[in-house]
Amino acid sequence: MINTKLRVIFQKTLSSEKARYLIVGGWNTLFGYFAGLLIYGWLGVIFNVIIIGFIANVLAISMAYVTNKIFVFKTKGNWTKEYIKAWILYGSTTMIGIILLWVLVDIMEIRFWVAQGLVTIILIITAYIGNLRFTFK
């Protein structure tokens, strides 16, 4: 009986686009955040934070596009068109994010993990609005 109720709740949750967006967004946020941390830890002594941010965001943008297309918006076809739109959206926000990372880490001397967290929050809000109104419209 409990399993049946949980299954119904789970199915209702997954039928909601907004709930799927939050779940997938949580995954994408964690992926992007930890990708940035791992790349910084691995290449931080070789490259500055701008290069690290660029590399991490290439991975994060691709992951966000695929997961949103397949699991959230469930659009058919248009892979190239939507991927380009995703790059326009995420590319714009990425540039803002990289500049913010540079200011927070190199100029304000905030620890990278804190700066990455602050930038991530800003990008979550921007990406939600952009995906809803532009990428998968």
Side-chain angles (χ1 to χ4, degrees), residues 14 23 27 30 34-36 47 65 91 116 124:
L14 292 182
I23 293 165
W27 161 254
L30 289 173
F34 286 108
F47 298 113
Y65 167 70
Q116 180 79 0
I124 288 169

Side-chain angles (χ1 to χ4, degrees), residues 6-136:
L6 288 175
R7 190 175 332 126
V8 169
I9 291 169
F10 186 70
Q11 288 171 340
K12 283 184 181 181
T13 299
L14 292 182
S15 69
S16 166
E17 183 178 280
K18 290 179 183 178
R20 289 192 313 269
Y21 191 88
L22 289 174
I23 293 165
V24 167
W27 161 254
N28 289 334
T29 300
L30 289 173
F31 179 87
Y33 182 75
F34 286 108
L37 291 178
L38 291 171
I39 293 167
Y40 182 78
W42 182 38
L43 300 174
V45 295
I46 300 169
F47 298 113
N48 71 24
V49 72
I50 294 173
I51 301 299
I52 300 297
F54 179 79
I55 294 168
N57 278 285
V58 166
L59 295 172
I61 289 168
S62 297
M63 175 63 76
Y65 167 70
V66 170
T67 55
N68 278 306
K69 178 171 184 58
I70 293 171
F71 298 113
V72 178
F73 298 100
K74 299 181 180 186
T75 58
K76 305 292 183 203
N78 299 318
W79 282 86
T80 304
K81 181 180 176 183
E82 289 174 347
Y83 193 58
I84 290 168
K85 288 169 109 179
W87 270 97
I88 292 168
L89 169 67
Y90 289 117
S92 301
T93 58
T94 295
M95 295 308 293
I96 294 167
I98 290 171
I99 292 167
L100 284 173
L101 271 179
W102 171 67
V103 169
L104 293 171
V105 173
D106 288 349
I107 295 176
M108 298 178 68
E109 298 182 356
I110 294 174
R111 297 184 70 105
F112 183 84
W113 68 272
V114 174
Q116 180 79 0
L118 293 172
V119 170
T120 298
I121 292 167
I122 293 167
L123 296 182
I124 288 169
I125 296 165
T126 305
Y128 175 76
I129 295 166
N131 277 319
L132 203 57
R133 296 183 181 171
F134 177 67
T135 306
F136 298 104

